[in-house]
Amino acid sequence: MRARPVHQQNAGRQPPVRRAGSTAALLAPTPASLLQLQRLAGNASVTALLAGWGAPGATTVQRQLAPGMYVLNARGRLRSEGSRHPKIESLRPGRPATVLPNGGRKSAFKIGTSGLVENSWARTASAGPGWIRDARLDPTTLVGALDATLRGPRKPTADELRAVIAWATPDERRAAAADDAFLARAKKALDSDTYLQVLPALGVHRTPDRVKSGGPGALGHPTGHDADVAIRAELAHEVADAVKAGRQVEGEVSVVGDQDFQAAFDRQWVVAAGQKQYIGKNAWDICEAFVDVNLPKRHIWIHRSLGDLGTIIHEGMHKYADSLLRDEQIQLCNVNKITHGGTSRLDEGITEYFTRPVVVNQLKVPRADYYANEHKVATKLAARFGRPTLVNAYFNGDFEGLKQAFGKGWPVFAERLERSDWRWLLINGWM
């Protein structure tokens, strides 16, 4: 015989009286059993059951979806945690949302006359956190959430896309970063600058597609996380203040192919740095990697098939450095009409001075003789004025301390170095 639904069984019957110690009281539904019934049969069944048991007033059943990525299947609202739960944001169908651990919070919404609650603690790309009805949320992947953002009524900002990415797991980011079809859709939907900001947020990290002499070959490049570990292990004391300031490689580096490398190169060096001599030239013929030193977000760009295992360490060192030394040296070049291509000889030499021990001691591989002359000059400076002086000038912004230690001959020395006058530097004992 087919059992009637709960609400039909109880129709027209007086609710049983629950007396202490009675069998009815012992069999009364618990919050756990109500939640289980809610998940299996929905709110209507729980409402009928509570009515049958004579539950006084509205009873709430708290339900929280598993943390992760979701999209709205209908119009909804993101509501605040306040007593009346005022609306934070109106949400259209297809809008992505991220369910977060609720930290023990309990919503107090009353749905219809049942008083049952099905809300999860969540946030959207532009607002939150707050409460969203569970019934409005369908699970999705990070790619699904980003695609939903791209399909919105307007182009999303880089900050909105980063907000979606920020709540994804590392595995979800890796999956999205490796999804060529999604990246192609993103490139088509976004302007170039926004698209380029998405790549480091995802941690795009391509393996080599062609092996050139001196390239990383099948080994590829270390991750940003591995670069941070190596730099901080070797230079723990030296980079302590930089670490406190939030400087790091992880989340700031992209290992990319020709097209993205070219777009990032032109944005930084042709547009932001004004190096017009690079217009129309292949970026990979000019450099293997670089940092967006003239942009608000100083991201690292590495060509997937160029450089070696130490390339990310050298570029990562630029991230840990204070910008003052480089900026002043570039200004010196501009005042004295020195062709610099956007880089400083002093800055590159000191960068390489700190890079080599990290590569050799932490990565356990030899370091090619990059910036050979500049490295010799930096080594001489450290020997003459002390390594701490170089540390403070490079990592901590005390460039004036290095200049004062050098003395009145600094202006001539600095100019000769930026002009790459290696003969003068050798004769004067700086190489």
Short mmCIF file of all heavy atoms in Angstrom, two decimals, residues 305-356:
data_model
loop_
_atom_site.label_atom_id
_atom_site.label_comp_id
_atom_site.label_asym_id
_atom_site.label_seq_id
_atom_site.Cartn_x
_atom_site.Cartn_y
_atom_site.Cartn_z
N SER A 305 59.31 29.07 -22.84
CA SER A 305 60.39 28.29 -23.45
C SER A 305 61.75 28.96 -23.34
O SER A 305 62.71 28.50 -23.97
CB SER A 305 60.07 28.02 -24.93
OG SER A 305 58.86 27.31 -25.06
N LEU A 306 61.86 30.01 -22.55
CA LEU A 306 63.13 30.74 -22.44
C LEU A 306 63.59 30.79 -20.98
O LEU A 306 62.83 30.47 -20.07
CB LEU A 306 62.99 32.16 -22.99
CG LEU A 306 62.53 32.29 -24.44
CD1 LEU A 306 62.40 33.76 -24.83
CD2 LEU A 306 63.49 31.57 -25.37
N GLY A 307 64.84 31.21 -20.80
CA GLY A 307 65.38 31.32 -19.46
C GLY A 307 65.82 29.97 -18.91
O GLY A 307 65.95 28.98 -19.63
N ASP A 308 66.07 29.93 -17.61
CA ASP A 308 66.44 28.69 -16.95
C ASP A 308 65.76 28.63 -15.59
O ASP A 308 64.89 29.45 -15.30
CB ASP A 308 67.97 28.54 -16.84
CG ASP A 308 68.62 29.67 -16.04
OD1 ASP A 308 67.89 30.36 -15.27
OD2 ASP A 308 69.84 29.87 -16.16
N LEU A 309 66.14 27.68 -14.76
CA LEU A 309 65.47 27.51 -13.48
C LEU A 309 65.65 28.72 -12.56
O LEU A 309 64.86 28.92 -11.64
CB LEU A 309 65.99 26.24 -12.78
CG LEU A 309 65.63 24.91 -13.45
CD1 LEU A 309 66.22 23.74 -12.67
CD2 LEU A 309 64.12 24.74 -13.58
N GLY A 310 66.69 29.51 -12.82
CA GLY A 310 66.92 30.69 -11.99
C GLY A 310 66.21 31.94 -12.45
O GLY A 310 66.23 32.96 -11.76
N THR A 311 65.56 31.87 -13.61
CA THR A 311 64.90 33.07 -14.15
C THR A 311 63.84 33.61 -13.20
O THR A 311 63.77 34.81 -12.94
CB THR A 311 64.28 32.76 -15.53
OG1 THR A 311 65.31 32.36 -16.44
CG2 THR A 311 63.55 33.97 -16.09
N ILE A 312 63.02 32.73 -12.66
CA ILE A 312 61.95 33.19 -11.77
C ILE A 312 62.53 33.74 -10.46
O ILE A 312 61.93 34.62 -9.83
CB ILE A 312 60.94 32.06 -11.49
CG1 ILE A 312 59.67 32.64 -10.85
CG2 ILE A 312 61.55 30.97 -10.62
CD1 ILE A 312 58.54 31.63 -10.73
N ILE A 313 63.70 33.26 -10.06
CA ILE A 313 64.33 33.79 -8.85
C ILE A 313 64.80 35.22 -9.10
O ILE A 313 64.58 36.12 -8.27
CB ILE A 313 65.51 32.91 -8.41
CG1 ILE A 313 65.06 31.46 -8.17
CG2 ILE A 313 66.16 33.49 -7.16
CD1 ILE A 313 64.02 31.32 -7.08
N HIS A 314 65.45 35.45 -10.24
CA HIS A 314 65.91 36.81 -10.58
C HIS A 314 64.73 37.77 -10.67
O HIS A 314 64.75 38.86 -10.07
CB HIS A 314 66.67 36.79 -11.91
CG HIS A 314 67.16 38.14 -12.34
ND1 HIS A 314 68.44 38.58 -12.10
CD2 HIS A 314 66.53 39.15 -12.99
CE1 HIS A 314 68.58 39.81 -12.58
NE2 HIS A 314 67.43 40.18 -13.13
N GLU A 315 63.68 37.38 -11.40
CA GLU A 315 62.52 38.26 -11.52
C GLU A 315 61.80 38.41 -10.18
O GLU A 315 61.29 39.49 -9.85
CB GLU A 315 61.57 37.74 -12.59
CG GLU A 315 62.18 37.59 -13.98
CD GLU A 315 62.80 38.87 -14.51
OE1 GLU A 315 62.32 39.96 -14.16
OE2 GLU A 315 63.79 38.78 -15.26
N GLY A 316 61.77 37.33 -9.42
CA GLY A 316 61.15 37.40 -8.10
C GLY A 316 61.89 38.33 -7.16
O GLY A 316 61.28 39.00 -6.32
N MET A 317 63.22 38.42 -7.33
CA MET A 317 64.00 39.33 -6.50
C MET A 317 63.57 40.78 -6.74
O MET A 317 63.53 41.60 -5.82
CB MET A 317 65.49 39.16 -6.79
CG MET A 317 66.39 39.46 -5.62
SD MET A 317 66.16 38.32 -4.23
CE MET A 317 66.79 36.80 -4.92
N HIS A 318 63.24 41.10 -7.98
CA HIS A 318 62.72 42.43 -8.28
C HIS A 318 61.43 42.70 -7.51
O HIS A 318 61.16 43.85 -7.12
CB HIS A 318 62.44 42.57 -9.78
CG HIS A 318 63.66 42.74 -10.63
ND1 HIS A 318 64.54 43.79 -10.48
CD2 HIS A 318 64.14 42.00 -11.67
CE1 HIS A 318 65.51 43.70 -11.38
NE2 HIS A 318 65.29 42.62 -12.12
N LYS A 319 60.62 41.66 -7.30
CA LYS A 319 59.37 41.83 -6.55
C LYS A 319 59.65 42.13 -5.08
O LYS A 319 58.92 42.89 -4.45
CB LYS A 319 58.51 40.57 -6.66
CG LYS A 319 57.82 40.38 -7.99
CD LYS A 319 56.66 41.34 -8.14
CE LYS A 319 55.59 41.10 -7.11
NZ LYS A 319 54.44 42.04 -7.27
N TYR A 320 60.67 41.51 -4.54
CA TYR A 320 61.01 41.72 -3.13
C TYR A 320 61.70 43.07 -2.91
O TYR A 320 61.71 43.60 -1.80
CB TYR A 320 61.91 40.60 -2.62
CG TYR A 320 61.16 39.34 -2.26
CD1 TYR A 320 60.87 38.38 -3.22
CD2 TYR A 320 60.73 39.11 -0.96
CE1 TYR A 320 60.17 37.23 -2.89
CE2 TYR A 320 60.03 37.96 -0.62
CZ TYR A 320 59.76 37.02 -1.60
OH TYR A 320 59.05 35.89 -1.27
N ALA A 321 62.28 43.63 -3.97
CA ALA A 321 63.04 44.87 -3.84
C ALA A 321 62.14 46.07 -3.66
O ALA A 321 61.01 46.11 -4.15
CB ALA A 321 63.91 45.07 -5.08
N ASP A 322 62.65 47.08 -2.96
CA ASP A 322 61.99 48.38 -2.92
C ASP A 322 62.26 49.06 -4.26
O ASP A 322 63.34 48.89 -4.85
CB ASP A 322 62.56 49.22 -1.78
CG ASP A 322 61.83 50.53 -1.60
OD1 ASP A 322 62.20 51.49 -2.30
OD2 ASP A 322 60.93 50.60 -0.77
N SER A 323 61.34 49.85 -4.75
CA SER A 323 61.47 50.43 -6.09
C SER A 323 62.35 51.68 -6.14
O SER A 323 62.70 52.14 -7.23
CB SER A 323 60.09 50.78 -6.64
OG SER A 323 59.45 51.76 -5.83
N LEU A 324 62.75 52.23 -4.99
CA LEU A 324 63.43 53.52 -4.98
C LEU A 324 64.74 53.50 -5.75
O LEU A 324 65.01 54.40 -6.57
CB LEU A 324 63.68 53.97 -3.54
CG LEU A 324 64.37 55.33 -3.38
CD1 LEU A 324 63.48 56.44 -3.96
CD2 LEU A 324 64.69 55.61 -1.92
N LEU A 325 65.58 52.51 -5.51
CA LEU A 325 66.89 52.46 -6.16
C LEU A 325 66.74 52.44 -7.67
O LEU A 325 67.38 53.23 -8.37
CB LEU A 325 67.67 51.22 -5.67
CG LEU A 325 69.08 51.01 -6.20
CD1 LEU A 325 69.94 50.29 -5.15
CD2 LEU A 325 69.10 50.20 -7.50
N ARG A 326 65.90 51.57 -8.18
CA ARG A 326 65.71 51.49 -9.63
C ARG A 326 65.15 52.79 -10.18
O ARG A 326 65.62 53.30 -11.20
CB ARG A 326 64.77 50.33 -9.97
CG ARG A 326 64.49 50.25 -11.46
CD ARG A 326 63.27 49.46 -11.79
NE ARG A 326 62.99 49.58 -13.21
CZ ARG A 326 62.26 50.55 -13.75
NH1 ARG A 326 61.73 51.48 -12.97
NH2 ARG A 326 62.08 50.60 -15.05
N ASP A 327 64.14 53.33 -9.53
CA ASP A 327 63.50 54.54 -10.04
C ASP A 327 64.47 55.71 -10.11
O ASP A 327 64.47 56.48 -11.08
CB ASP A 327 62.30 54.91 -9.16
CG ASP A 327 61.15 53.92 -9.29
OD1 ASP A 327 61.17 53.11 -10.23
OD2 ASP A 327 60.23 53.96 -8.44
N GLU A 328 65.31 55.86 -9.11
CA GLU A 328 66.27 56.97 -9.12
C GLU A 328 67.32 56.78 -10.21
O GLU A 328 67.73 57.75 -10.86
CB GLU A 328 66.95 57.11 -7.75
CG GLU A 328 66.06 57.73 -6.69
CD GLU A 328 66.85 58.33 -5.54
OE1 GLU A 328 68.09 58.51 -5.68
OE2 GLU A 328 66.23 58.62 -4.50
N GLN A 329 67.74 55.54 -10.42
CA GLN A 329 68.73 55.28 -11.47
C GLN A 329 68.14 55.50 -12.86
O GLN A 329 68.81 56.01 -13.76
CB GLN A 329 69.28 53.87 -11.34
CG GLN A 329 70.20 53.66 -10.14
CD GLN A 329 71.41 54.58 -10.17
OE1 GLN A 329 71.48 55.56 -9.42
NE2 GLN A 329 72.36 54.27 -11.03
N ILE A 330 66.89 55.13 -13.05
CA ILE A 330 66.23 55.39 -14.34
C ILE A 330 66.09 56.89 -14.55
O ILE A 330 66.29 57.41 -15.66
CB ILE A 330 64.86 54.70 -14.39
CG1 ILE A 330 65.02 53.17 -14.42
CG2 ILE A 330 64.05 55.17 -15.60
CD1 ILE A 330 65.69 52.62 -15.65
N GLN A 331 65.77 57.62 -13.50
CA GLN A 331 65.68 59.07 -13.61
C GLN A 331 67.03 59.69 -13.96
O GLN A 331 67.11 60.62 -14.77
CB GLN A 331 65.16 59.67 -12.29
CG GLN A 331 65.02 61.18 -12.28
CD GLN A 331 64.03 61.70 -13.32
OE1 GLN A 331 63.15 60.96 -13.77
NE2 GLN A 331 64.16 62.96 -13.70
N LEU A 332 68.08 59.16 -13.37
CA LEU A 332 69.43 59.62 -13.72
C LEU A 332 69.70 59.41 -15.21
O LEU A 332 70.26 60.28 -15.89
CB LEU A 332 70.47 58.86 -12.88
CG LEU A 332 71.95 59.19 -13.08
CD1 LEU A 332 72.71 58.98 -11.78
CD2 LEU A 332 72.59 58.33 -14.18
N CYS A 333 69.28 58.25 -15.72
CA CYS A 333 69.45 57.95 -17.15
C CYS A 333 68.68 58.95 -18.01
O CYS A 333 69.18 59.45 -19.02
CB CYS A 333 69.00 56.53 -17.46
SG CYS A 333 70.04 55.25 -16.76
N ASN A 334 67.46 59.23 -17.61
CA ASN A 334 66.64 60.16 -18.38
C ASN A 334 67.25 61.56 -18.40
O ASN A 334 67.28 62.22 -19.45
CB ASN A 334 65.23 60.20 -17.81
CG ASN A 334 64.47 58.90 -18.02
OD1 ASN A 334 64.77 58.14 -18.94
ND2 ASN A 334 63.50 58.64 -17.17
N VAL A 335 67.74 62.03 -17.25
CA VAL A 335 68.32 63.38 -17.16
C VAL A 335 69.58 63.48 -18.02
O VAL A 335 69.81 64.49 -18.70
CB VAL A 335 68.63 63.72 -15.69
CG1 VAL A 335 69.49 64.99 -15.61
CG2 VAL A 335 67.35 63.89 -14.91
N ASN A 336 70.38 62.42 -18.01
CA ASN A 336 71.64 62.43 -18.75
C ASN A 336 71.52 61.84 -20.15
O ASN A 336 72.53 61.58 -20.81
CB ASN A 336 72.71 61.68 -17.96
CG ASN A 336 73.13 62.41 -16.70
OD1 ASN A 336 73.92 63.34 -16.74
ND2 ASN A 336 72.57 61.98 -15.56
N LYS A 337 70.28 61.61 -20.58
CA LYS A 337 70.02 61.08 -21.93
C LYS A 337 70.79 59.79 -22.21
O LYS A 337 71.40 59.61 -23.26
CB LYS A 337 70.34 62.14 -23.00
CG LYS A 337 69.47 63.40 -22.88
CD LYS A 337 69.72 64.35 -24.01
CE LYS A 337 68.83 65.58 -24.03
NZ LYS A 337 67.83 65.73 -23.00
N ILE A 338 70.75 58.89 -21.24
CA ILE A 338 71.38 57.58 -21.37
C ILE A 338 70.33 56.59 -21.84
O ILE A 338 69.27 56.45 -21.21
CB ILE A 338 71.97 57.11 -20.02
CG1 ILE A 338 73.02 58.10 -19.51
CG2 ILE A 338 72.57 55.71 -20.15
CD1 ILE A 338 73.47 57.81 -18.08
N THR A 339 70.57 55.92 -22.94
CA THR A 339 69.65 54.90 -23.43
C THR A 339 69.66 53.72 -22.47
O THR A 339 70.71 53.13 -22.21
CB THR A 339 70.06 54.43 -24.84
OG1 THR A 339 70.07 55.55 -25.73
CG2 THR A 339 69.09 53.37 -25.35
N HIS A 340 68.51 53.40 -21.91
CA HIS A 340 68.48 52.37 -20.86
C HIS A 340 67.52 51.23 -21.15
O HIS A 340 67.58 50.19 -20.48
CB HIS A 340 68.13 53.00 -19.52
CG HIS A 340 66.87 53.80 -19.53
ND1 HIS A 340 65.62 53.23 -19.45
CD2 HIS A 340 66.66 55.15 -19.61
CE1 HIS A 340 64.71 54.18 -19.47
NE2 HIS A 340 65.30 55.36 -19.57
N GLY A 341 66.61 51.38 -22.10
CA GLY A 341 65.69 50.30 -22.42
C GLY A 341 64.76 49.92 -21.30
O GLY A 341 64.15 48.85 -21.30
N GLY A 342 64.67 50.79 -20.28
CA GLY A 342 63.76 50.53 -19.18
C GLY A 342 64.37 49.82 -17.99
O GLY A 342 63.68 49.54 -17.02
N THR A 343 65.67 49.52 -18.06
CA THR A 343 66.33 48.83 -16.95
C THR A 343 67.54 49.61 -16.47
O THR A 343 68.14 50.38 -17.22
CB THR A 343 66.77 47.41 -17.35
OG1 THR A 343 67.68 47.49 -18.45
CG2 THR A 343 65.58 46.56 -17.74
N SER A 344 67.92 49.39 -15.21
CA SER A 344 69.09 50.04 -14.60
C SER A 344 70.20 49.03 -14.42
O SER A 344 69.96 47.91 -13.93
CB SER A 344 68.70 50.63 -13.25
OG SER A 344 69.82 50.78 -12.41
N ARG A 345 71.43 49.40 -14.80
CA ARG A 345 72.59 48.51 -14.63
C ARG A 345 72.82 48.21 -13.15
O ARG A 345 73.14 47.08 -12.78
CB ARG A 345 73.86 49.14 -15.22
CG ARG A 345 73.85 49.48 -16.70
CD ARG A 345 73.54 48.30 -17.58
NE ARG A 345 72.11 48.23 -17.87
CZ ARG A 345 71.47 47.12 -18.17
NH1 ARG A 345 72.10 45.96 -18.22
NH2 ARG A 345 70.19 47.14 -18.43
N LEU A 346 72.70 49.23 -12.31
CA LEU A 346 72.91 49.03 -10.88
C LEU A 346 71.85 48.09 -10.32
O LEU A 346 72.17 47.15 -9.57
CB LEU A 346 72.87 50.37 -10.15
CG LEU A 346 73.01 50.29 -8.62
CD1 LEU A 346 74.37 49.71 -8.23
CD2 LEU A 346 72.80 51.66 -7.98
N ASP A 347 70.61 48.33 -10.67
CA ASP A 347 69.51 47.50 -10.18
C ASP A 347 69.68 46.05 -10.61
O ASP A 347 69.54 45.12 -9.80
CB ASP A 347 68.18 48.06 -10.69
CG ASP A 347 66.99 47.23 -10.24
OD1 ASP A 347 66.86 47.00 -9.03
OD2 ASP A 347 66.20 46.81 -11.10
N GLU A 348 70.03 45.83 -11.88
CA GLU A 348 70.19 44.45 -12.36
C GLU A 348 71.39 43.77 -11.72
O GLU A 348 71.36 42.57 -11.43
CB GLU A 348 70.32 44.44 -13.89
CG GLU A 348 69.07 44.90 -14.64
CD GLU A 348 67.87 43.99 -14.42
OE1 GLU A 348 68.02 42.88 -13.87
OE2 GLU A 348 66.75 44.40 -14.79
N GLY A 349 72.45 44.53 -11.50
CA GLY A 349 73.63 43.94 -10.87
C GLY A 349 73.36 43.48 -9.45
O GLY A 349 73.76 42.37 -9.05
N ILE A 350 72.69 44.32 -8.66
CA ILE A 350 72.38 43.94 -7.28
C ILE A 350 71.36 42.81 -7.26
O ILE A 350 71.43 41.90 -6.42
CB ILE A 350 71.87 45.16 -6.49
CG1 ILE A 350 72.96 46.24 -6.43
CG2 ILE A 350 71.48 44.75 -5.08
CD1 ILE A 350 72.54 47.52 -5.73
N THR A 351 70.40 42.85 -8.17
CA THR A 351 69.42 41.77 -8.27
C THR A 351 70.13 40.44 -8.51
O THR A 351 69.82 39.43 -7.86
CB THR A 351 68.43 42.03 -9.41
OG1 THR A 351 67.74 43.26 -9.16
CG2 THR A 351 67.42 40.90 -9.55
N GLU A 352 71.07 40.44 -9.42
CA GLU A 352 71.81 39.20 -9.72
C GLU A 352 72.70 38.80 -8.55
O GLU A 352 72.90 37.60 -8.29
CB GLU A 352 72.62 39.38 -11.00
CG GLU A 352 73.22 38.10 -11.55
CD GLU A 352 72.18 37.05 -11.93
OE1 GLU A 352 71.01 37.40 -12.20
OE2 GLU A 352 72.56 35.86 -11.98
N TYR A 353 73.23 39.77 -7.83
CA TYR A 353 74.08 39.50 -6.66
C TYR A 353 73.30 38.68 -5.63
O TYR A 353 73.84 37.74 -5.03
CB TYR A 353 74.56 40.81 -6.05
CG TYR A 353 75.26 40.68 -4.72
CD1 TYR A 353 76.60 40.31 -4.66
CD2 TYR A 353 74.58 40.93 -3.53
CE1 TYR A 353 77.25 40.18 -3.43
CE2 TYR A 353 75.21 40.80 -2.31
CZ TYR A 353 76.54 40.44 -2.26
OH TYR A 353 77.17 40.32 -1.04
N PHE A 354 72.04 39.01 -5.41
CA PHE A 354 71.23 38.26 -4.45
C PHE A 354 70.61 37.00 -5.06
O PHE A 354 70.26 36.07 -4.34
CB PHE A 354 70.13 39.15 -3.88
CG PHE A 354 70.63 40.22 -2.95
CD1 PHE A 354 70.54 41.56 -3.29
CD2 PHE A 354 71.21 39.87 -1.73
CE1 PHE A 354 71.01 42.55 -2.42
CE2 PHE A 354 71.68 40.85 -0.86
CZ PHE A 354 71.59 42.19 -1.21
N THR A 355 70.49 36.96 -6.38
CA THR A 355 69.87 35.82 -7.05
C THR A 355 70.76 34.58 -7.03
O THR A 355 70.29 33.46 -6.75
CB THR A 355 69.54 36.18 -8.52
OG1 THR A 355 68.53 37.18 -8.55
CG2 THR A 355 69.06 34.96 -9.29
N ARG A 356 72.05 34.75 -7.31
CA ARG A 356 72.93 33.59 -7.53
C ARG A 356 73.01 32.65 -6.34
O ARG A 356 72.91 31.42 -6.52
CB ARG A 356 74.30 34.07 -7.96
CG ARG A 356 74.26 34.71 -9.34
CD ARG A 356 75.62 34.96 -9.93
NE ARG A 356 75.50 35.66 -11.20
CZ ARG A 356 76.52 35.91 -12.03
NH1 ARG A 356 77.74 35.54 -11.68
NH2 ARG A 356 76.30 36.54 -13.17
#
